Amino acid sequence: MILFLFFVVALALLLEKISLNLPVRNVRYHIGASKYSVEQGEKFYIVTTIENRTKHNISYLRIKERIPSCVRLCGEEGIVSEEEGEHTLFVRKYERVKRSIPVVSYLRGVHPFGKSELSFGDFLGIREISCEKEPTDKILVYPRRIESEKLDRIVNDLMGDITAKSFLHEDPLLVRGYREYTGREPLKSISFLQSAKCMQLMVKEFDHTRTPVANILFDVEFLGDFDHYFEQRETQFSLARMICESFVERGIHHRIITNMCYPEMETRGVNVVEGAGSGGFSRILDLLSIASGAAVCSSGELLSYAKEYFCEGAFLYIAQRDCPEVREELGRYFPGEEGVLYTFFGSEYEEDYRAGAEEKEGGAA
């Protein structure tokens, strides 16, 4: 009888050890978002997948997950905040369990998932063993879309000015041919090389069907007091997004000349991101999403660089707020008629930015 009891106890301890060790090695766990990138207020799903690759049932599995702090769960009574979730499961042998939770986010940026903790219980319900899983997924949230009649009106005027300005200046690189000098052409149009070859004065014929170009000076250096700092900064990013979208719709070549800090930037100073070509706008949108609010160089360095290296096209200036320091820098590098066509400040569209969030939250609730 004693031997039999000893055998039962030994067998139970062995089965307990097996029931604890097998799941740790043979259970596959993954947590991630249903989409790589989302708009603010757009519903998506956090998907958890558990796959039991053993031939034994897992009677007790407790999962403690840490979702990004920017995410809000969509409950039956509206939107609730929750950064940490915990649930228990019974997983049959060779079973694959999938769990989807609807969520939304209202915070621009790239937001990674935190570590998840998996706890397996033995079949006797006495002990449990835990392990941590490091998720690799993340959520990219775009700058918020804002609706503003004032912004639409200014952008429409801006489009006309940029298009008109592209016809006022001849680009010496776009010469389509030569013809005889009639005496009415400006002296700068005379090609002395061709005149020497033809033994008479010849002038250049330019191609006036130029593609309009817009240079967006995106300045994230913070100047002024700290009232409403966060919303004004985020509004600045939204303004850049909306303006670039308008340029894409109108077929206007554009580039962002910026001092914003973002991963994998080419230099620790002024960076230039082209918005034309395949995937140009997508790259700008991604960079506006992941960039921080820190500046890698001053406003003066940004404006000086733009003035020196980009003489073609119109200039736009986007900053967080209007202040004497900003106006002084603009006047120094773009005085008088050389000034930028338009300036956009986050502080001027702060209410529109805030209204965009309230409208989305109200609709989601």
Side-chain angles (χ1 to χ4, degrees), residues 32-38 42-45 137-140:
S34 59
K35 297 181 178 181
Y36 168 73
S37 56
V38 296
E42 175 186 357
K43 181 186 290 187
F44 63 101
Y45 294 88
D137 276 28
K138 54 190 177 183
I139 304 167
L140 183 66

Side-chain angles (χ1 to χ4, degrees), residues 4-5 7 12 20 53 112 158 211 225 247 250 347:
F4 177 75
L5 290 176
F7 174 77
L20 286 174
R53 295 188 174 185
L158 171 64
T211 301
D225 57 51
F247 287 155
R250 299 288 186 92
S347 56

Side-chain angles (χ1 to χ4, degrees), residues 113-331:
F113 287 84
K115 289 182 180 179
S116 297
E117 182 180 322
L118 277 63
S119 300
F120 302 91
D122 60 23
F123 77 105
L124 296 176
I126 299 175
R127 295 174 55 202
E128 68 176 39
I129 186 171
S130 300
C131 64
E132 288 187 337
K133 299 291 184 179
E134 188 75 52
T136 57
D137 276 28
K138 54 190 177 183
I139 304 167
L140 183 66
V141 183
Y142 291 145
R144 182 178 304 167
R145 298 183 60 89
I146 57 177
E147 301 294 334
S148 169
E149 293 183 1
K150 174 185 175 182
L151 179 62
D152 292 341
R153 183 177 65 255
I154 293 177
V155 169
N156 287 333
D157 293 341
L158 171 64
M159 300 296 179
D161 288 345
I162 291 176
T163 304
K165 190 173 182 179
S166 67
F167 292 98
L168 296 179
H169 304 282
E170 297 172 337
D171 190 345
L173 298 179
L174 299 177
V175 178
R176 66 181 181 183
Y178 302 90
R179 58 178 173 81
E180 294 182 7
Y181 177 65
T182 64
R184 294 189 296 270
E185 296 83 357
L187 293 178
K188 67 178 181 179
S189 298
I190 297 176
S191 172
F192 293 99
L193 179 61
Q194 292 296 325
S195 297
K197 290 180 180 179
C198 300
M199 301 301 292
Q200 60 177 331
L201 289 177
M202 302 292 291
V203 294
K204 305 170 189 176
E205 283 192 313
F206 297 97
D207 183 1
H208 292 281
T209 59
R210 299 174 58 196
T211 301
V213 177
N215 299 301
I216 303 172
L217 306 176
F218 190 71
D219 184 8
V220 298
E221 184 182 23
F222 179 73
L223 300 171
D225 57 51
F226 280 83
D227 290 341
H228 310 288
Y229 167 78
F230 175 78
E231 287 190 341
Q232 290 176 4
R233 185 194 70 189
E234 293 304 307
T235 304
Q236 176 187 0
F237 281 92
S238 292
L239 287 173
R241 183 249 173 97
M242 301 303 295
I243 291 172
C244 288
E245 279 190 358
S246 298
F247 287 155
V248 171
E249 293 172 359
R250 299 288 186 92
I252 294 180
H253 181 101
H254 58 285
R255 62 175 66 96
I256 286 188
I257 308 167
T258 180
N259 57 1
M260 68 181 178
C261 180
Y262 58 89
E264 300 179 3
M265 57 188 179
E266 296 180 0
T267 69
R268 295 295 301 179
V270 179
N271 284 269
V272 181
V273 186
E274 296 289 343
S278 177
F281 175 67
S282 297
R283 173 166 167 74
I284 285 180
L285 188 56
D286 285 351
L287 294 183
L288 289 174
S289 302
I290 65 179
S292 70
V296 293
C297 66
S298 67
S299 301
E301 292 175 85
L302 171 65
L303 296 174
S304 175
Y305 182 93
K307 183 65 179 295
E308 181 177 358
Y309 292 101
F310 297 95
C311 57
E312 177 193 10
F315 287 93
L316 293 73
Y317 181 78
I318 304 177
Q320 182 169 334
R321 60 187 299 139
D322 192 4
C323 62
E325 293 87 351
V326 167
R327 292 295 178 180
E328 181 180 351
E329 294 291 345
L330 287 174

